[in-house]
Amino acid sequence: MIERPGVTIARAFIRVYQIAISPMVGPACRFAPSCSEYALEALSRHGLLKGSGLALRRLLRCHPWGGSGYDPVP
């Protein structure tokens, strides 16, 4: 399947974060899979709009009073 340019660009930004920024921050994700892995999978499964929305919703749940544990992409 050929990805649309928007999805490819979004995936590239996530990979840059994973390679360049995430190692400096350290492992702090409350969920499994990590938020960046979740975003990559959501983009692959659902495309740019819905995948970005799912990833944003997941990021907004990542706070001290939010949940934790296994949270797969729907």
Side-chain angles (χ1 to χ4, degrees):
M1 183 170 139
I2 298 174
E3 287 186 351
R4 296 194 173 219
V7 172
T8 303
I9 292 168
R11 290 175 59 86
F13 279 117
I14 294 167
R15 289 296 297 150
V16 166
Y17 165 79
Q18 287 178 327
I19 293 167
I21 299 170
S22 182
M24 290 186 283
V25 176
C29 194
R30 304 167 54 88
F31 294 102
S34 69
C35 292
S36 58
E37 288 295 328
Y38 183 96
L40 288 174
E41 187 174 344
L43 288 169
S44 294
R45 283 190 185 185
H46 298 288
L48 184 61
L49 292 179
K50 187 171 181 181
S52 296
L54 288 169
L56 179 61
R57 192 180 92 197
R58 168 74 174 271
L59 287 171
L60 291 174
R61 288 192 322 235
C62 193
H63 55 79
W65 303 280
S68 63
Y70 182 64
D71 182 29
V73 175

